[in-house]
Amino acid sequence: MEITRLGVMGGTFNPIHLGHLMIAEEAREAYSLDRVLFIPSYITPHKEVHGATAQQRLEMTRLATADNPYFTVSDMEIRRGGPSYTLDTLRFLKKLYGPSHELYFISGTDTIQDLPNWNHPEDILRLCHFIGATRPDGTEAIMPVIRHFGSLGHHILKLSVPTMELSSTELRRRIREGRSIRYMIPRAVADYIRKNGIYQCTVQR
Protein backbone atom coordinates (compact mmCIF):
# COMPACT_ATOMS: atom_id res chain seq x y z
CA MET A 1 0.00 0.00 0.00
CA GLU A 2 1.34 3.40 -0.99
CA ILE A 3 1.54 5.78 1.97
CA THR A 4 0.59 9.45 1.60
CA ARG A 5 2.37 11.87 3.91
CA LEU A 6 -0.19 14.50 4.88
CA GLY A 7 0.90 17.67 6.63
CA VAL A 8 -1.73 19.22 8.90
CA MET A 9 -1.50 22.89 9.83
CA GLY A 10 -4.15 24.22 12.17
CA GLY A 11 -4.63 27.63 13.74
CA THR A 12 -6.83 30.67 13.88
CA PHE A 13 -5.02 32.29 10.88
CA ASN A 14 -6.24 35.68 12.09
CA PRO A 15 -4.85 36.71 9.65
CA ILE A 16 -2.73 34.11 7.88
CA HIS A 17 0.70 35.52 7.01
CA LEU A 18 3.93 34.65 5.24
CA GLY A 19 5.37 33.05 8.37
CA HIS A 20 2.62 30.40 8.36
CA LEU A 21 3.20 29.70 4.68
CA MET A 22 6.99 29.53 5.04
CA ILE A 23 6.80 26.99 7.89
CA ALA A 24 4.35 24.84 5.92
CA GLU A 25 6.55 24.86 2.82
CA GLU A 26 9.72 24.15 4.82
CA ALA A 27 7.98 21.19 6.51
CA ARG A 28 6.70 19.89 3.18
CA GLU A 29 10.19 19.90 1.70
CA ALA A 30 12.07 18.66 4.77
CA TYR A 31 9.76 15.70 5.44
CA SER A 32 8.71 14.93 1.84
CA LEU A 33 5.05 15.66 2.52
CA ASP A 34 2.71 14.95 -0.38
CA ARG A 35 0.49 17.86 0.59
CA VAL A 36 -0.28 20.21 3.48
CA LEU A 37 -3.83 20.66 4.72
CA PHE A 38 -4.59 24.01 6.36
CA ILE A 39 -7.47 23.82 8.87
CA PRO A 40 -8.69 27.15 10.29
CA SER A 41 -10.12 26.66 13.77
CA TYR A 42 -13.65 27.63 14.75
CA ILE A 43 -13.11 28.33 18.44
CA THR A 44 -9.61 27.79 19.83
CA PRO A 45 -9.51 26.66 23.47
CA HIS A 46 -7.88 29.24 25.79
CA LYS A 47 -7.62 31.80 22.97
CA GLU A 48 -10.14 34.46 22.00
CA VAL A 49 -10.49 35.32 18.33
CA HIS A 50 -11.31 38.92 17.45
CA GLY A 51 -11.51 40.96 14.27
CA ALA A 52 -12.48 38.40 11.64
CA THR A 53 -15.28 35.87 11.44
CA ALA A 54 -14.59 32.17 10.98
CA GLN A 55 -15.73 32.40 7.37
CA GLN A 56 -13.45 35.37 6.71
CA ARG A 57 -10.47 33.52 8.20
CA LEU A 58 -11.32 30.52 6.04
CA GLU A 59 -11.48 32.67 2.90
CA MET A 60 -8.18 34.41 3.72
CA THR A 61 -6.53 31.01 4.15
CA ARG A 62 -7.87 29.89 0.78
CA LEU A 63 -6.57 33.05 -0.88
CA ALA A 64 -3.14 32.72 0.75
CA THR A 65 -2.63 29.10 -0.34
CA ALA A 66 -4.21 29.24 -3.81
CA ASP A 67 -0.92 29.50 -5.72
CA ASN A 68 0.71 26.44 -4.12
CA PRO A 69 -0.42 23.14 -5.67
CA TYR A 70 0.71 21.24 -2.55
CA PHE A 71 -1.50 23.31 -0.21
CA THR A 72 -5.21 22.65 0.38
CA VAL A 73 -7.71 24.07 2.87
CA SER A 74 -10.40 22.32 4.91
CA ASP A 75 -13.38 23.89 6.67
CA MET A 76 -13.92 20.79 8.83
CA GLU A 77 -13.43 22.53 12.19
CA ILE A 78 -15.66 25.44 11.20
CA ARG A 79 -18.38 23.08 10.00
CA ARG A 80 -18.09 21.05 13.19
CA GLY A 81 -18.49 24.14 15.39
CA GLY A 82 -17.57 24.36 19.04
CA PRO A 83 -14.01 24.33 20.43
CA SER A 84 -11.40 23.08 17.95
CA TYR A 85 -9.37 20.37 19.65
CA THR A 86 -6.42 18.93 17.73
CA LEU A 87 -7.16 15.44 19.03
CA ASP A 88 -10.68 15.49 17.53
CA THR A 89 -9.33 16.71 14.20
CA LEU A 90 -6.60 14.05 14.02
CA ARG A 91 -9.08 11.30 14.91
CA PHE A 92 -11.39 12.50 12.15
CA LEU A 93 -8.56 12.53 9.60
CA LYS A 94 -7.42 9.05 10.64
CA LYS A 95 -10.97 7.77 10.22
CA LEU A 96 -11.36 9.58 6.89
CA TYR A 97 -8.09 8.44 5.29
CA GLY A 98 -7.27 5.26 7.19
CA PRO A 99 -3.83 3.59 7.21
CA SER A 100 -2.96 4.90 3.74
CA HIS A 101 -2.14 8.33 5.23
CA GLU A 102 0.61 9.28 7.68
CA LEU A 103 -0.21 12.50 9.54
CA TYR A 104 2.36 15.21 10.26
CA PHE A 105 1.05 18.02 12.47
CA ILE A 106 3.02 21.23 11.86
CA SER A 107 3.48 23.79 14.62
CA GLY A 108 5.67 26.67 15.73
CA THR A 109 8.06 26.63 18.68
CA ASP A 110 5.65 28.38 21.06
CA THR A 111 2.94 25.84 20.25
CA ILE A 112 5.08 22.79 20.80
CA GLN A 113 6.46 24.15 24.09
CA ASP A 114 2.86 24.26 25.32
CA LEU A 115 2.09 20.71 24.11
CA PRO A 116 2.17 19.14 27.62
CA ASN A 117 -0.78 21.40 28.52
CA TRP A 118 -2.94 20.34 25.57
CA ASN A 119 -5.99 18.13 25.74
CA HIS A 120 -4.68 14.50 25.85
CA PRO A 121 -1.25 15.22 24.30
CA GLU A 122 -0.13 11.58 24.55
CA ASP A 123 -3.06 10.49 22.38
CA ILE A 124 -2.16 13.22 19.88
CA LEU A 125 1.40 11.92 19.60
CA ARG A 126 0.11 8.38 19.02
CA LEU A 127 -1.88 9.63 16.02
CA CYS A 128 0.75 11.72 14.25
CA HIS A 129 4.27 12.96 13.90
CA PHE A 130 4.52 16.40 15.47
CA ILE A 131 6.77 18.79 13.53
CA GLY A 132 8.05 21.65 15.69
CA ALA A 133 9.53 24.60 13.84
CA THR A 134 12.54 26.22 15.49
CA ARG A 135 14.79 29.09 14.60
CA PRO A 136 18.21 28.07 13.29
CA ASP A 137 20.13 26.35 16.12
CA GLY A 138 17.05 26.62 18.34
CA THR A 139 16.49 22.91 18.87
CA GLU A 140 17.06 23.32 22.61
CA ALA A 141 13.62 24.91 22.82
CA ILE A 142 12.04 21.57 21.87
CA MET A 143 14.30 19.09 23.64
CA PRO A 144 12.65 19.48 27.08
CA VAL A 145 9.29 18.68 25.49
CA ILE A 146 10.70 15.59 23.76
CA ARG A 147 12.13 14.37 27.06
CA HIS A 148 8.84 15.09 28.86
CA PHE A 149 6.99 12.53 26.72
CA GLY A 150 9.53 9.74 27.15
CA SER A 151 9.14 7.02 24.52
CA LEU A 152 6.48 9.06 22.70
CA GLY A 153 9.01 11.85 22.26
CA HIS A 154 10.33 10.24 19.07
CA HIS A 155 7.08 11.37 17.40
CA ILE A 156 8.24 14.98 17.82
CA LEU A 157 10.36 16.11 14.87
CA LYS A 158 12.50 19.24 14.69
CA LEU A 159 12.31 21.66 11.77
CA SER A 160 14.82 24.47 11.44
CA VAL A 161 13.31 27.46 9.64
CA PRO A 162 14.67 30.91 8.75
CA THR A 163 13.87 33.60 11.30
CA MET A 164 10.74 35.56 10.40
CA GLU A 165 9.43 37.69 13.25
CA LEU A 166 5.77 37.84 12.29
CA SER A 167 2.70 37.35 14.45
CA SER A 168 -0.99 37.72 13.67
CA THR A 169 -1.39 39.88 16.80
CA GLU A 170 1.25 42.33 15.60
CA LEU A 171 -0.23 42.39 12.09
CA ARG A 172 -3.72 43.18 13.43
CA ARG A 173 -2.20 46.05 15.39
CA ARG A 174 -0.41 47.39 12.32
CA ILE A 175 -3.63 47.25 10.32
CA ARG A 176 -5.57 49.12 13.04
CA GLU A 177 -2.86 51.79 13.06
CA GLY A 178 -2.92 52.10 9.28
CA ARG A 179 0.67 50.89 8.90
CA SER A 180 1.95 48.88 5.96
CA ILE A 181 1.74 45.09 5.97
CA ARG A 182 3.34 44.73 2.57
CA TYR A 183 5.70 41.71 2.30
CA MET A 184 4.16 40.31 5.50
CA ILE A 185 0.79 39.08 4.24
CA PRO A 186 0.00 37.69 0.76
CA ARG A 187 -1.28 40.42 -1.55
CA ALA A 188 -4.60 38.63 -2.14
CA VAL A 189 -5.20 38.45 1.62
CA ALA A 190 -4.30 42.12 2.10
CA ASP A 191 -6.77 43.05 -0.66
CA TYR A 192 -9.48 40.94 1.00
CA ILE A 193 -8.87 42.61 4.37
CA ARG A 194 -9.07 46.07 2.80
CA LYS A 195 -12.18 45.28 0.75
CA ASN A 196 -14.06 43.87 3.74
CA GLY A 197 -12.87 46.36 6.34
CA ILE A 198 -11.49 43.62 8.60
CA TYR A 199 -9.53 44.70 11.69
CA GLN A 200 -11.18 48.15 11.51
CA CYS A 201 -8.74 49.89 9.28
CA THR A 202 -7.86 50.33 5.61
CA VAL A 203 -4.89 48.21 4.61
CA GLN A 204 -1.92 50.02 3.08
CA ARG A 205 -0.63 48.30 -0.05
Side-chain angles (χ1 to χ4, degrees), residues 8-9 28-29 40-41 43 51 70 79-80 86 94 117 124 136 140 157 175 188 190 198:
V8 179
M9 191 153 188
R28 183 192 70 78
E29 184 176 62
S41 60
I43 299 173
Y70 297 102
R79 283 189 287 108
R80 186 170 63 216
T86 299
K94 276 290 187 183
N117 301 317
I124 289 173
E140 70 277 0
L157 309 174
I175 293 168
I198 306 173

Side-chain angles (χ1 to χ4, degrees), residues 16 59-60 62-67 185-196 205:
I16 191 168
E59 184 59 26
M60 287 189 283
R62 285 172 171 160
L63 289 169
T65 58
D67 65 345
I185 289 179
R187 176 63 179 270
V189 175
D191 288 343
Y192 182 85
I193 291 171
R194 175 185 53 78
K195 180 179 178 180
N196 291 277
R205 294 187 293 169

Side-chain angles (χ1 to χ4, degrees), residues 68-85:
N68 191 323
Y70 297 102
F71 290 174
T72 57
V73 180
S74 170
D75 64 351
M76 57 177 289
E77 290 189 355
I78 292 174
R79 283 189 287 108
R80 186 170 63 216
S84 299
Y85 289 107

Side-chain angles (χ1 to χ4, degrees), residues 1 3 20 25 40 56 65 75-76 86 89 107 111 114-115 128 145 158 181 190 195 205:
M1 177 177 59
I3 299 296
H20 295 129
E25 180 66 8
Q56 287 173 329
T65 58
D75 64 351
M76 57 177 289
T86 299
T89 297
S107 71
T111 300
D114 191 49
L115 182 60
C128 71
V145 181
K158 297 181 286 288
I181 55 172
K195 180 179 178 180
R205 294 187 293 169

Side-chain angles (χ1 to χ4, degrees), residues 23-119:
I23 289 173
E25 180 66 8
E26 288 286 309
R28 183 192 70 78
E29 184 176 62
Y31 289 100
S32 302
L33 306 181
D34 295 290
R35 61 191 177 101
V36 177
L37 183 64
F38 287 72
I39 309 177
S41 60
Y42 182 64
I43 299 173
T44 301
H46 315 302
K47 184 176 182 180
E48 294 186 13
V49 180
H50 299 291
T53 67
Q55 287 297 326
Q56 287 173 329
R57 291 185 288 106
L58 174 65
E59 184 59 26
M60 287 189 283
T61 306
R62 285 172 171 160
L63 289 169
T65 58
D67 65 345
N68 191 323
Y70 297 102
F71 290 174
T72 57
V73 180
S74 170
D75 64 351
M76 57 177 289
E77 290 189 355
I78 292 174
R79 283 189 287 108
R80 186 170 63 216
S84 299
Y85 289 107
T86 299
L87 179 59
D88 294 335
T89 297
L90 293 174
R91 282 174 171 166
F92 176 85
L93 291 173
K94 276 290 187 183
K95 184 176 180 181
L96 178 66
Y97 293 118
S100 66
H101 282 61
E102 230 174 37
L103 303 181
Y104 290 75
F105 189 88
I106 304 166
S107 71
T109 302
D110 292 344
T111 300
I112 203 163
Q113 286 176 327
D114 191 49
L115 182 60
N117 301 317
W118 283 26
N119 187 42

Side-chain angles (χ1 to χ4, degrees), residues 160-173:
S160 179
V161 297
T163 300
M164 183 177 283
E165 297 292 343
L166 288 176
S167 77
S168 295
T169 300
E170 169 65 14
L171 290 168
R172 292 194 301 272
R173 185 181 66 80

